[in-house]
Amino acid sequence: MPTITVSSTRAPLPLPSPPTTPLPAAPLSISIGRNSDKIINRRHLLSAVSISIAVSTGPYHDMVAAARGLFQMPPVRLSNRYYLVRSGESEFERIGIINTNPVAKTSVDSGLSENGKKQTVRAALKLKAMGACDNGCWIWPSITQRAYQAAEIIASVNGISRSFIVPEYSFLDARGLGAYEGKNLEAISEVYASDSISTRNKPPPIDDGTPNESVADVFVRVTQLMSILETQYSESTIVIVSPDSDNLTILQAGLIGLDLRRHRDLSFAPGEVRFVDISDIPTYKQPASAVYKCQNPPICS
């Protein structure tokens, strides 16, 4: 029987390579200009980066960062000038019916009545007399028919291009009154009586899509609106046009630090205009945790 022999040979060890002397690293050079002989090496670049980091984390950067924080009520400061306007009377208001269902907010019946148009013209003329848009302004109306019509009238009277009208799609909707939808306007006094007890009291619900909003719900909406405006604009004039009074009274109460249960004390009549005076906003006070300093750590009591 033939025998198969498998022979293995060990691979020869590699010969040691002669020691090599590393070549000096060529400096990273950047020519400035076509025929410039100036060279920027890595050390220069690292120095430049260090300087830029120092600048970006310096006191100026901290000041800028602190200038735009989370918007709160009452605000620490306002970056813009604000005018609050309630649109004129609507067709529903003319016949004395509560209508707050957002489904109908762009319908013709949600538009200005003839009297409402006159009220809005007077509001626009008052804004002009106040010099609100002398240096330009942004007009932020709800897309509710009467509010947007009011914005167009204000823009026309004050010589403002329609491109400066910014429709707001949800934060300025009329306050949803739930089961009061379709009732007489006099019934709204029951809602305000409930508001004076707690900001979390809601009108009774209804199944036709009309929201039933508490004062606290509206407060969240208008605070979000102000946060957007304070972030998006600086040193600008903004005219806020609301289809109802509650948006504006709750907003103004928040700005001046008034108990939100008393927001009705600031009620807006149809076509009324108010300037937000920063002198009415209380001075911001740091919370105790921000000013307290321990004199003998770790014993701080």
Side-chain angles (χ1 to χ4, degrees):
M1 182 175 183
T3 303
I4 300 174
T5 304
V6 179
S7 63
S8 62
T9 58
R10 189 174 182 180
L13 295 173
L15 295 175
S17 57
T20 58
T21 303
L23 296 175
L28 175 64
S29 62
I30 301 175
S31 296
I32 304 175
R34 186 173 180 179
N35 299 315
S36 174
D37 57 354
K38 294 183 179 179
I39 294 178
I40 300 177
N41 59 27
R42 289 186 179 87
R43 182 176 298 175
H44 293 151
L45 288 176
L46 289 173
S47 299
V49 170
S50 301
I51 293 172
S52 65
I53 292 174
V55 170
S56 65
T57 58
Y60 176 75
H61 180 269
D62 294 339
M63 180 178 66
V64 173
R68 294 293 181 94
L70 179 66
F71 188 83
Q72 60 185 9
M73 294 280 203
V76 177
R77 66 184 65 81
L78 287 177
S79 301
N80 304 292
R81 299 168 68 239
Y82 292 94
Y83 291 85
L84 309 181
V85 181
R86 179 182 174 182
S87 64
E89 176 191 69
S90 71
E91 287 290 347
F92 277 110
E93 290 170 330
R94 180 183 65 81
I95 60 177
I97 298 297
I98 294 174
N99 178 261
T100 60
N101 191 327
V103 172
K105 64 185 178 182
T106 58
S107 70
V108 175
D109 290 335
S110 292
L112 293 170
S113 66
E114 287 303 316
N115 187 41
K117 292 174 184 177
K118 295 175 183 177
Q119 292 169 337
T120 303
V121 169
R122 287 195 290 269
L125 290 171
K126 183 173 182 180
L127 284 168
K128 187 171 185 178
M130 297 169 75
C133 298
D134 284 355
N135 296 315
C137 64
W138 293 92
I139 305 173
W140 274 64
S142 164
I143 63 167
T144 303
Q145 186 79 345
R146 60 185 177 276
Y148 197 84
Q149 287 175 335
E152 291 181 316
I153 293 172
I154 291 169
S156 177
V157 170
N158 287 271
I160 299 299
S161 168
R162 290 169 62 96
S163 61
F164 286 86
I165 299 177
V166 184
E168 216 307 305
Y169 289 87
S170 59
F171 293 148
L172 281 175
D173 283 357
R175 179 185 178 185
L177 296 180
Y180 286 93
E181 186 76 0
K183 293 187 176 182
N184 291 332
L185 281 175
E186 290 77 10
I188 201 170
S189 60
E190 299 174 17
V191 177
Y192 292 142
S194 178
D195 289 350
S196 65
I197 298 172
S198 172
T199 60
R200 297 190 179 278
N201 286 344
K202 295 174 178 280
I206 194 173
D207 59 3
D208 69 347
T210 304
N212 57 321
E213 294 184 295
S214 66
V215 170
D217 294 331
V218 178
F219 181 70
V220 170
R221 286 201 280 113
V222 296
T223 301
Q224 289 173 325
L225 172 68
M226 290 299 295
S227 179
I228 291 171
L229 296 176
E230 284 292 285
T231 302
Q232 187 167 337
Y233 302 103
S234 180
E235 302 297 327
S236 297
T237 298
I238 301 169
V239 180
I240 297 174
V241 186
S242 171
D244 71 346
S245 175
D246 285 3
N247 283 334
L248 302 179
T249 58
I250 293 170
L251 170 57
Q252 189 174 15
L255 290 172
I256 66 176
L258 179 69
D259 186 338
L260 294 179
R261 292 174 297 178
R262 296 177 52 200
H263 76 93
R264 193 188 179 191
D265 295 349
L266 303 172
S267 183
F268 280 69
E272 185 171 351
V273 177
R274 289 182 200 166
F275 173 63
V276 177
D277 191 340
I278 58 173
S279 64
D280 294 334
I281 298 175
T283 303
Y284 174 73
K285 294 182 180 180
Q286 287 186 317
S289 60
V291 297
Y292 178 76
K293 296 185 182 299
C294 179
Q295 301 297 328
N296 186 28
I299 302 172
C300 298
S301 58

